[in-house]
Amino acid sequence: AQTVTQSQPEMSVQEAETVTLSCTYDTSESDYYLFWYKQPPSRQMILVIRQEAYKQQNATENRFSVNFQKAAKSFSLKISDSQLGDAAMYFCAYITVETSGSRLTFGEGTQLTVNP
Amino acid sequence: NAGVMQNPRHLVRRRGQEARLRCSPMKGHSHVYWYRQLPEEGLKFMVYLQKENIIDESGMPKERFSAEFPKEGPSILRIQQVVRGDSAAYFCASSPWRSGGYNEQFFGPGTRLTVL
């Protein structure tokens, strides 16, 4: 079974600084997607960034980028120039593509605080 | 194009009552997923449905929980004889159908169930 582990329950960063959130996962499959979701106090799940496992290039979305290390099964999220609006719970998630219509498997989350 | 809609947003029930949570997928989406988020935890998969069909219910508790996605109308997650441990946020996601590959899931705002 696939598992996703986020070892940092809480992180904090100063506004305008950079922070990295860690995620590791376990799978025996070769083709899958990894995601970072943001959940602000409103509880809406917002997709931040997506990475396909067979793509070696790390995904980037504006101030958000990932460091995907497939052999190490590591998928960290870097937030540059942190803003107050980045404060939220961040979830790492995994989905296989070997079965269409599969479930997402989420980590336990990292609560990010941004200090002004 | 409206997103995934869930109602009610907040639901309060007393122990022993029934809870009905509704999810209307995005237009053109024929697949629905339900996830549960217990306090201070990540989202956990419950069930995956197509129209008139349960595809994967391996995450559903064996008793008191049921789900349906009729030909017409929203998907319903039903919890009978609720207990305090059912208090959680319940999220619905929908996806289109494409054979093979990854079908992106779009999340609704969630229903927060409180059992008194």
Side-chain angles (χ1 to χ4, degrees):
Chain A
Q2 296 86 19
T3 58
V4 177
T5 302
Q6 294 179 247
S7 59
Q8 306 155 315
E10 298 176 349
M11 291 284 283
S12 63
V13 63
Q14 291 295 126
E15 196 175 2
E17 297 292 307
T18 295
V19 65
T20 299
L21 308 184
S22 301
C23 172
T24 58
Y25 59 95
D26 188 23
T27 183
S28 57
E29 296 169 347
S30 59
D31 196 9
Y32 49 88
Y33 281 76
L34 295 163
F35 309 86
W36 280 97
Y37 281 88
K38 171 184 178 181
Q39 188 179 47
S42 67
R43 289 189 168 266
Q44 177 72 52
M45 294 293 287
I46 301 167
L47 179 63
V48 174
I49 200 164
R50 163 195 312 125
Q51 173 81 43
E52 292 185 64
Y54 70 86
K55 286 188 177 178
Q56 292 189 340
Q57 186 172 7
N58 289 323
T60 300
E61 287 287 341
N62 301 313
R63 296 183 296 107
F64 298 86
S65 61
V66 299
N67 183 3
F68 174 48
Q69 302 289 326
K70 190 171 184 179
K73 296 180 181 172
S74 170
F75 182 62
S76 60
L77 175 70
K78 185 171 85 170
I79 307 175
S80 303
D81 186 25
S82 297
Q83 300 176 0
L84 294 177
D86 295 333
M89 181 73 87
Y90 286 81
F91 292 100
C92 179
Y94 164 103
I95 195 168
T96 180
V97 296
E98 295 182 4
T99 307
S100 294
S102 295
R103 67 179 74 178
L104 283 159
T105 300
F106 288 88
E108 294 300 304
T110 297
Q111 181 69 53
L112 178 66
T113 301
V114 180
N115 300 309
Chain B
N1 188 10
V4 178
M5 299 175 69
Q6 291 187 247
N7 67 81
R9 294 293 308 277
H10 300 274
L11 182 60
V12 179
R13 285 288 178 265
R14 296 191 181 280
R15 281 179 295 168
Q17 291 184 319
E18 179 180 286
R20 280 180 174 247
L21 288 63
R22 296 174 188 78
C23 170
S24 296
M26 287 180 68
K27 187 176 181 180
H29 288 190
S30 58
H31 295 242
V32 164
Y33 306 77
W34 286 93
Y35 295 85
R36 178 167 66 174
Q37 184 179 30
L38 294 170
E40 310 300 326
E41 294 187 13
L43 280 71
K44 299 285 196 299
F45 169 80
M46 298 181 75
V47 62
Y48 162 42
L49 309 105
Q50 295 176 13
K51 289 277 188 182
E52 300 183 283
N53 223 358
I54 296 175
I55 305 302
D56 180 0
E57 57 181 346
S58 58
M60 288 278 270
K62 294 286 185 278
E63 297 177 350
R64 302 187 297 106
F65 285 72
S66 62
E68 63 177 6
F69 188 16
K71 187 176 180 181
E72 302 290 337
S75 175
I76 306 286
L77 179 67
R78 182 182 178 207
I79 311 171
Q80 295 178 290
Q81 300 175 336
V82 296
V83 301
R84 288 221 174 101
D86 297 333
S87 295
Y90 292 83
F91 288 90
C92 168
S94 73
S95 72
W97 175 254
R98 298 183 199 90
S99 62
Y102 155 65
N103 294 313
E104 182 168 353
Q105 297 180 25
F106 295 81
F107 280 85
T111 293
R112 178 175 280 190
L113 172 65
T114 302
V115 180
L116 302 178

